[in-house]
C-alpha cells in the first residue's frame, strides 16, 4: 500500500463524508483549546507581539473540523492581543496541509464563507484579524515549508498515521492492526515504524519552526505501556471481526485479509516524550492524556449543532469516513465494501450498547529551542 496515494478521509459533503461524520475528532479539537491558547499566549509574548503570524495545521483533512481549527487559532490570537492591550491585530497566514488525495477543493470552496462567519464571531468591538489561507499538499514526514518560517504548528488526530505499513517478517494472521494475537515481531515492526516516523517529523519541523515557535500535537494514543492493549486496538479489532466473518463466508479471500494492515500506531505519552527528547530540538511545556467516548454526543458541555443533537453520533459512520478509501483500494468491489461497513457498523453499535468504549488522546505542547 502506498500510503501517500491511498490514505485520505472520504471527501465532499455527502452522507459518508468525513466532513459530516467527524464529531469525535471535532470534540478532541475543542478539548485541547486551553492548551492551544496557552501556547499561543506564550508565543505572542516571546515574539514580542509580532505583526505577522505564520501557522500550519498538519493533516487538516476537509470540512468543518478544518475550519474549527482555523477559527480557534484566529479567535485566540484576537483575544490574546486584546489582553495585552495591542490595538492592531497580527495578520495571520494559515497553511492547511494534508496528503495530495485530500479534498482540498472542498476546503478552498468554503474559505470565503468561513471568512464572513469569522467577522461575525470575533470579539465585539474588534475587527476580525486579517486571515489568509494556503493549501500545502504533501506528507508531513517530509519538509513542507522553508527554514525558520513557521511560528506555530498544530496537528490533531493525524500523527498516529504512519508513513507506510511497517515491514513485517511474519504474517499478522487474521488481524489488520496490532492485536493481542499478533506475533511480537509485528508489534515491534509497528513500534519501530512509529519511532522512525515521529523522529523524522520532529527533524523536519525543527528546521521549519522559528526559535521560540510553538507546536501543539494531539495524537490518538493509549495509557497502557502495551501497544496491543484494547484501549487502542479495539476499534480496528472490530473491523477485523467483520472481515474475518466475510472470509468464513467466502466473500473475501483469506490472503487478501492477511495482506492488509492499517498504517497506524497509537503511542503512549512516554513514547512521545522519549522521541521529543531524543530528537532534542524542542522543549516539552505540557503533556497530557485524555479520554473521549466513542459516542461523542454524550458530552453536553460541547456545543453541538442541532443535527448532531437530534441524530446522535454514529461511530460506525465516522470509522467508515476514515477507513473507506483504504478498504476500497485493497478489497476492491463496491459491493464488498458496502457489506464490510454494514457489518462493522452493526458490531460497533452492539459493543457500544454493552460496554464503555473510548479513545485515548495524547496532547503535547512544545517550544522550539534556540
Ligand atoms: C483523522 S483525520 C484528522 C483531520 C483533522 N485534523 C481533524 O482533527 O478532524 C487525519 C488526517 O491526517 C492526514 N494525514 C495522514 N498522514 C499524513 C501525512 N503523512 N501527511 C499529511 N497528512 C496526513 C489524513 O489524510 C487525514 O486527513
Amino acid at each position: 500500500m502506498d500510503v501517500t496515494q491511498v490514505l485520505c478521509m472520504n471527501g465532499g459533503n455527502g452522507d459518508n463524508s468525513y466532513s459530516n461524520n467527524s464529531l469525535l475528532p471535532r470534540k478532541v479539537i475543542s478539548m485541547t483549546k486551553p492548551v492551544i491558547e496557552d501556547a499561543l499566549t506564550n508565543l505572542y509574548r516571546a515574539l514580542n507581539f509580532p505583526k505577522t503570524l505564520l501557522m500550519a495545521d498538519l493533516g487538516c483533512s476537509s470540512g468543518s473540523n478544518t475550519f474549527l481549527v482555523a477559527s480557534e487559532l484566529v479567535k485566540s490570537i484576537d483575544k490574546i492581543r486584546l489582553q495585552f492591550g495591542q490595538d492592531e491585530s497580527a495578520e495571520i497566514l494559515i497553511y492547511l496541509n494534508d496528503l495530495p488525495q485530500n479534498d482540498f477543493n472542498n476546503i478552498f470552496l468554503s474559505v470565503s464563507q468561513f471568512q464572513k462567519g469569522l467577522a461575525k464571531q470575533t470579539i465585539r468591538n474588534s475587527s476580525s484579524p486579517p486571515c489568509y489561507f494556503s493549501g500545502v499538499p504533501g506528507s508531513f514526514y517530509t519538509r513542507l515549508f522553508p527554514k525558520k518560517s513557521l511560528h506555530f504548528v498544530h496537528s490533531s488526530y493525524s500523527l498516529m498515521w504512519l508513513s507506510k505499513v511497517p515491514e513485517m517478517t511474519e504474517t499478522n494472521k487474521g488481524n489488520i492492526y496490532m492485536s493481542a494475537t499478533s506475533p511480537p515481531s509485528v508489534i515491534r515492526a509497528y513500534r519501530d515504524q512509529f519511532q522512525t516516523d515521529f523522529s523524522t517529523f520532529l527533524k523536519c519541523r525543527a528546521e521549519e519552526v522559528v526559535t521560540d515557535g510553538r507546536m501543539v500535537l494531539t495524537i490518538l494514543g493509549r495509557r497502557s505501556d502495551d501497544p496491543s492493549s484494547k484501549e487502542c486496538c479495539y476499534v480496528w479489532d472490530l473491523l477485523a471481526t467483520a472481515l474475518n466473518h466475510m472470509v468464513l463466508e467466502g466473500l473475501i479471500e483469506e490472503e487478501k485479509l492477511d495482506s492488509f494492515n492499517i498504517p497506524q500506531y497509537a503511542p503512549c505519552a512516554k513514547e512521545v516524550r522519549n522521541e521529543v527528547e531524543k530528537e532534542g530540538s524542542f522543549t516539552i511545556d505540557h503533556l497530557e492524556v485524555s479520554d473521549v467516548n466513542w459516542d461523542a454526543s454524550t458530552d453536553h458541555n460541547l456545543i453541538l449543532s442541532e443535527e448532531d443533537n437530534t441524530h446522535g453520533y454514529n461511530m460506525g459512520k465516522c470509522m467508515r469516513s476514515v477507513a473507506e478509501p483504504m478498504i476500497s483500494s485493497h478489497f476492491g468491489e463496491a459491493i464488498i465494501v458496502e457489506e464490510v461497513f454494514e457489518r462493522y457498523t452493526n458490531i460497533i453499535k452492539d459493543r457500544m450498547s454493552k460496554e464503555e468504549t473510548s479513545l485515548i488522546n495524547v496532547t503535547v505542547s512544545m517550544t522550539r529551542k534556540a
Side-chain angles (χ1 to χ4, degrees):
M1 181 197 300
D2 179 352
V3 171
T4 53
Q5 292 305 316
V6 172
L7 183 63
C8 63
M9 309 295 104
N10 272 340
N13 291 310
D15 194 36
N16 291 324
S17 64
Y18 183 75
S19 178
N20 276 330
N21 295 289
S22 46
L23 178 58
L24 189 151
R26 183 146 88 248
K27 180 171 175 181
V28 174
I29 294 167
S30 300
M31 284 163 63
T32 54
K33 198 175 144 188
V35 182
I36 295 172
E37 232 177 73
D38 215 40
L40 286 175
T41 305
N42 293 330
L43 170 77
Y44 207 63
R45 208 173 7 213
L47 298 185
N48 204 11
F49 316 115
K51 295 278 168 271
T52 312
L53 280 169
L54 271 60
M55 307 189 173
D57 185 28
L58 307 182
C60 64
S61 195
S62 83
S64 49
N65 292 7
T66 310
F67 288 102
L68 174 64
V69 172
S71 112
E72 292 303 344
L73 295 178
V74 175
K75 283 194 284 179
S76 295
I77 289 297
D78 201 39
K79 186 170 151 194
I80 294 162
R81 69 119 183 148
L82 286 172
Q83 272 166 10
F84 284 109
Q86 299 290 306
D87 292 335
E88 214 182 314
S89 291
E91 291 198 295
I92 300 170
L93 171 57
I94 302 180
Y95 293 110
L96 298 174
N97 154 261
D98 209 291
L99 290 170
Q101 297 291 343
N102 185 52
D103 193 351
F104 281 102
N105 231 16
N106 193 35
I107 299 180
F108 296 153
L109 287 169
S110 312
V111 166
S112 67
Q113 198 189 342
F114 167 76
Q115 281 171 325
K116 279 185 209 141
L118 193 63
K120 285 190 206 143
Q121 283 176 47
T122 35
I123 295 165
R124 216 167 286 167
N125 301 328
S126 111
S127 57
S128 69
C131 173
Y132 308 98
F133 289 96
S134 197
V136 180
S139 169
F140 47 52
Y141 296 123
T142 64
R143 282 286 304 279
L144 295 166
F145 306 98
K147 279 190 180 175
K148 299 263 173 221
S149 62
L150 295 178
H151 300 111
F152 185 76
V153 173
H154 173 266
S155 180
S156 190
Y157 262 38
S158 301
L159 271 155
M160 63 281 187
W161 290 106
L162 300 170
S163 66
K164 59 177 188 166
V165 176
E167 277 160 34
M168 296 173 196
T169 49
E170 285 173 271
T171 307
N172 193 13
K173 198 141 195 54
N175 298 311
I176 59 167
Y177 186 60
M178 293 176 291
S179 169
T181 58
S182 296
S185 67
V186 167
I187 311 279
R188 267 198 308 278
Y190 267 100
R191 186 190 280 137
D192 290 352
Q193 191 61 50
F194 168 75
Q195 288 177 353
T196 304
D197 282 345
F198 194 48
S199 101
T200 303
F201 173 87
L202 291 167
K203 279 195 191 83
C204 293
R205 300 301 81 77
E207 294 278 329
E208 297 163 353
V209 174
V210 300
T211 298
D212 278 333
R214 301 305 202 262
M215 187 147 79
V216 175
L217 314 173
T218 297
I219 312 174
L220 176 70
R222 61 178 206 277
R223 285 185 196 278
S224 161
D225 278 346
D226 175 9
S228 65
S229 76
K230 186 176 170 184
E231 59 186 4
C232 58
C233 301
Y234 199 39
V235 77
W236 295 123
D237 267 347
L238 300 182
L239 177 55
T241 303
L243 292 166
N244 273 300
H245 286 164
M246 290 174 72
V247 168
L248 285 176
E249 291 170 34
L251 297 169
I252 289 177
E253 287 167 32
E254 194 171 0
E255 301 78 61
K256 269 264 173 220
L257 173 59
D258 288 341
S259 60
F260 180 68
N261 287 292
I262 303 275
Q264 193 178 91
Y265 185 85
C268 63
K270 194 162 70 181
E271 288 172 299
V272 170
R273 178 182 290 283
N274 283 349
E275 290 311 313
V276 174
E277 288 177 353
K278 227 190 303 164
E279 195 282 327
S281 306
F282 294 89
T283 313
I284 294 183
D285 303 315
H286 182 78
L287 181 60
E288 70 176 32
V289 180
S290 56
D291 299 48
V292 60
N293 197 291
W294 284 10
D295 185 358
S297 65
T298 51
D299 182 348
H300 301 298
N301 292 325
L302 186 76
I303 301 157
L304 302 173
S305 71
E306 214 171 279
E307 187 161 279
D308 291 332
N309 269 324
T310 49
H311 294 120
Y313 184 61
N314 189 331
M315 180 67 171
K317 290 196 84 171
C318 176
M319 291 309 294
R320 178 173 187 158
S321 76
V322 169
E324 184 168 0
M326 256 183 320
I327 295 283
S328 300
S329 142
H330 187 82
F331 293 97
E333 289 174 68
I335 187 149
I336 294 289
V337 173
E338 248 347 281
E339 183 71 27
V340 169
F341 285 107
E342 200 182 316
R343 290 176 186 230
Y344 185 30
T345 301
N346 287 336
I347 295 172
I348 287 178
K349 276 187 194 152
D350 176 61
R351 291 294 92 211
M352 286 172 76
S353 70
K354 296 190 173 123
E355 54 186 305
E356 268 292 304
T357 42
S358 51
L359 296 179
I360 311 293
N361 320 305
V362 175
T363 300
V364 60
S365 176
M366 47 189 142
T367 301
R368 176 72 171 99
K369 293 178 189 169

